[in-house]
Amino acid sequence: MSRVVSVTSSNVYCMNNDHQAQASPAGPIVQLAGVNKHYGALHVLNNINLEVTKGEVVVILGPSGSGKSTLCRAINRLETIDEGTIKIDGNTLPSEGKALAKLRADVGMVFQSFNLFAHKSILENVTLGPIKVKGMKKQEAKDLAMKLLERVGVANQADKLPAQLSGGQQQRVAIARALAMKPKVMLFDEPTSALDPEMINEVLDTMVGLAKEGMTMLVVTHEMGFARKAADRVIFMADGQIVEQATPEQFFTNPQSDRAKDFLGKLITNH
Amino acid sequence: MENYLSIFTEYDIPGAFWVNIQLTFWAAIGALVLGTILALLRISPVASFQAIGASYVNLVRNTPLTIIILFAVLALYGQLGFTLGGDFQANFFRLSVLGLAVYHAAFVCEAIRSGVNTVPLGQAEAARAIGLGFMPAARLIILPQAFRGAIVPLGNTLIALIKNSTVAAVGSVATESSSVMKTMIEFRSDIVIPIFLTFAIGFVIIVIPVGLLTTWLSKKLAVAR
């Protein structure tokens, strides 16, 4: 499933598998500094400072309501923030308008509920962004889309509507749709949480393949297997704060904070 | 019976209905365009645009159509000298179309807004996430699905518009059906009830296919989720 195919010469897909060792002379791709957000009395993001360097795969773990999804969505400004700055590749995220749209085009987003455009075919879902946002020629966009659909294993469904596909297939199309924009970073907001168990792996395999190719990824998930297999760094959040950051190895074998120990303990007893 | 049938030769009844269909046709196009713009204002992220859309809907929707058409003819044309070209009759026809369009646009706006509510929020989020601005996202993703979810309420608005086109009588469109009916009743008071029934049934015949069509279309074009 995780065929490693370089679809473009863009520097996003560097073939260096040892991305942990990559230095980032150009600075971080994603940079959050002093980010705060409140929902009424709830302090959902509490002074978040986070940098994701190029090629890095960061997995955010944490209990429900810890703010990890909000953090992920804030990076694309699908959630507003009260304080702090968010930078994408050195550019501060603007609050509105064309500049925001332009920056969003560089950030791929994969949602829990897939959110494929329901009235468009699978192929149109993938070509829409390149054609309408980047002004790519139709044929070129179609070729790119077919390559990406091939790579996520759903090329034979190109003419169907989203509702005709299984959840796992839809989510893989959503990944292809995001990749078609040649993003600098991909955000995954619980990409497998809405899937039946037997479809989780096909999506995770696609994501592991992406990680191996050097895509910069920020993944909110409950899939510990993915974190172990593909993450360079695990971030553990609780109550809107980043409680702990470590390599997956360190985090799963030797968590430092009580919250993380408690969280991992519950996972083990529940499975 | 012969007495009754004579009204069909004395008066151009199909022609009278045809005027209503023409009024409806042009007003429907105007209402659809204006209503879509209003709906865009109401769903836009800009607060002042939302306020403009909401004010229009609340002012126009709550004003009787008779007053709006009278305003078009007596105030716009009579007082201010605003004309829409053509001869005397054509001008009244067009002013009535304007009044009908302006009035029904408020209902079209609300029908489309109800259609927008059938589109999950995730669709807009996904559109924004690939870098589409508000207008491209509305045009390519939200409105196409919203229209398909709004076919039944839009059909209801069209049905109301067909029947409301008779209000053009107050706009001095003397050839439309309710004006013709009024004339007929004046001269043929012997068959008042058959005349009423003729026009009532005539409208039912025009309106029923619209209802059937919208039900069929709403099923055929439903967005599978």
Side-chain angles (χ1 to χ4, degrees), chain A residues 33-262:
Chain A
V35 171
N36 280 285
K37 180 181 176 72
H38 301 259
Y39 281 134
L42 181 68
H43 202 162
V44 65
L45 293 178
N46 189 348
N47 193 31
I48 301 287
N49 294 288
L50 170 66
E51 288 188 357
V52 181
T53 52
K54 193 166 145 191
E56 200 180 12
V57 177
V58 175
V59 168
I60 305 181
L61 301 175
S64 297
S66 59
K68 53 194 194 304
S69 266
T70 308
L71 174 64
C72 183
R73 289 164 55 83
I75 294 170
N76 220 352
R77 214 182 153 81
L78 292 174
E79 299 281 348
T80 56
I81 54 171
D82 301 336
E83 267 174 57
T85 54
I86 298 176
K87 288 184 180 175
I88 307 290
D89 203 16
N91 301 308
T92 304
L93 206 58
S95 57
E96 274 304 327
K98 287 215 164 71
L100 176 62
K102 197 168 182 314
L103 220 57
R104 274 176 176 152
D106 287 337
V107 180
M109 179 99 193
V110 176
F111 300 88
Q112 183 177 342
S113 50
F114 331 134
N115 293 348
L116 293 180
F117 303 132
H119 63 308
K120 300 243 178 228
S121 73
I122 296 307
L123 182 66
E124 287 168 336
N125 262 276
V126 183
T127 57
L128 189 123
I131 293 171
K132 298 294 177 183
V133 177
K134 297 207 153 172
M136 194 183 276
K137 288 201 179 69
K138 276 189 183 152
Q139 189 56 48
E140 200 184 335
K142 194 183 164 191
D143 293 344
L144 170 67
M146 287 312 293
K147 265 185 204 161
L148 289 168
L149 288 173
E150 187 84 35
R151 165 190 161 131
V152 299
V154 284
N156 54 347
Q157 317 279 340
D159 296 325
K160 290 191 180 166
L161 287 170
Q164 295 171 288
L165 269 60
S166 73
Q169 289 172 323
Q170 288 192 52
Q171 193 61 299
R172 284 182 282 149
V173 174
I175 292 172
R177 175 175 69 179
L179 286 175
M181 296 303 289
K182 300 188 175 133
K184 289 174 179 163
V185 55
M186 289 270 284
L187 308 174
F188 293 82
D189 184 8
E190 302 202 23
T192 56
S193 298
L195 294 175
D196 292 339
E198 71 267 28
M199 292 170 186
I200 289 177
N201 277 334
E202 65 189 53
V203 171
L204 289 180
D205 286 345
T206 307
M207 290 167 62
V208 170
L210 269 180
K212 287 202 172 131
E213 283 168 46
M215 173 60 79
T216 311
M217 293 162 66
L218 194 127
V219 184
V220 173
T221 186
H222 293 291
E223 293 297 324
M224 301 303 146
F226 176 80
R228 278 178 188 277
K229 205 191 288 182
D232 297 315
R233 179 155 50 122
V234 169
I235 288 178
F236 178 73
M237 282 184 77
D239 303 324
Q241 285 174 301
I242 294 179
V243 177
E244 195 167 336
Q245 301 194 42
T247 63
E249 183 65 22
Q250 283 171 328
F251 180 76
F252 288 113
T253 55
N254 187 21
Q256 300 299 306
S257 64
D258 289 342
R259 289 301 304 264
K261 282 176 193 165
D262 184 47

Side-chain angles (χ1 to χ4, degrees), chain B residues 119-185:
Chain B
V119 183
L121 184 60
Q123 296 285 309
E125 287 187 345
R128 285 150 70 193
I130 60 166
L132 292 171
F134 171 75
M135 276 308 290
R139 187 170 58 84
L140 298 166
I141 307 299
I142 307 302
L143 285 182
Q145 296 186 54
F147 274 111
R148 291 159 71 156
I151 289 170
V152 170
L154 282 172
N156 285 339
T157 306
L158 179 62
I159 288 169
L161 172 56
I162 292 170
K163 295 182 290 178
N164 287 346
S165 67
T166 55
V167 181
V170 304
S172 309
V173 179
T175 49
E176 66 80 41
S177 55
S178 71
S179 307
V180 172
M181 186 180 79
K182 205 172 127 220
T183 315
M184 286 164 70
I185 288 167

Side-chain angles (χ1 to χ4, degrees), chain B residues 1-43:
Chain B
M1 191 65 191
E2 228 166 83
N3 199 14
Y4 168 68
L5 286 176
S6 68
I7 61 169
F8 286 91
T9 48
E10 279 175 50
Y11 300 94
D12 184 9
I13 294 172
F17 278 112
W18 178 237
V19 174
N20 285 84
I21 290 170
Q22 286 175 307
L23 282 164
T24 301
F25 179 79
W26 297 113
I29 291 173
L32 195 63
V33 172
L34 185 55
T36 305
I37 294 168
L38 288 167
L40 281 171
L41 290 175
R42 291 205 77 171
I43 63 170

Side-chain angles (χ1 to χ4, degrees), chain B residues 64-82:
Chain B
L65 176 59
T66 313
I67 292 180
I68 290 175
I69 291 182
L70 272 178
F71 180 86
V73 171
L74 296 180
L76 274 185
Y77 170 67
Q79 281 282 284
L80 303 171
F82 175 82

Side-chain angles (χ1 to χ4, degrees), chain B residues 34-224:
Chain B
L34 185 55
T36 305
I37 294 168
L38 288 167
L40 281 171
L41 290 175
R42 291 205 77 171
I43 63 170
S44 90
V46 183
S48 52
F49 286 175
Q50 292 171 17
I52 293 169
S55 308
Y56 180 100
V57 168
N58 285 317
L59 178 71
V60 172
R61 188 176 55 176
N62 297 324
T63 308
L65 176 59
T66 313
I67 292 180
I68 290 175
I69 291 182
L70 272 178
F71 180 86
V73 171
L74 296 180
L76 274 185
Y77 170 67
Q79 281 282 284
L80 303 171
F82 175 82
T83 66
L84 287 170
D87 60 16
F88 208 61
Q89 256 194 324
N91 187 37
F92 283 139
F93 179 88
R94 288 170 194 177
L95 285 167
S96 295
V97 167
L98 178 70
L100 286 166
V102 160
Y103 177 77
H104 289 91
F107 294 89
V108 169
C109 167
E110 294 304 276
I112 292 173
R113 231 158 51 94
S114 79
V116 170
N117 287 338
T118 68
V119 183
L121 184 60
Q123 296 285 309
E125 287 187 345
R128 285 150 70 193
I130 60 166
L132 292 171
F134 171 75
M135 276 308 290
R139 187 170 58 84
L140 298 166
I141 307 299
I142 307 302
L143 285 182
Q145 296 186 54
F147 274 111
R148 291 159 71 156
I151 289 170
V152 170
L154 282 172
N156 285 339
T157 306
L158 179 62
I159 288 169
L161 172 56
I162 292 170
K163 295 182 290 178
N164 287 346
S165 67
T166 55
V167 181
V170 304
S172 309
V173 179
T175 49
E176 66 80 41
S177 55
S178 71
S179 307
V180 172
M181 186 180 79
K182 205 172 127 220
T183 315
M184 286 164 70
I185 288 167
E186 268 175 42
F187 291 97
R188 297 300 301 270
S189 51
D190 53 323
I191 48 168
V192 166
I193 289 171
I195 290 172
F196 269 117
L197 286 175
T198 304
F199 283 91
I201 291 166
F203 271 103
V204 169
I205 289 169
I206 293 172
V207 168
I208 280 178
V210 175
L212 293 174
L213 184 71
T214 52
T215 306
W216 178 76
L217 275 177
S218 72
K219 282 186 190 139
K220 187 172 161 58
L221 297 179
V223 181

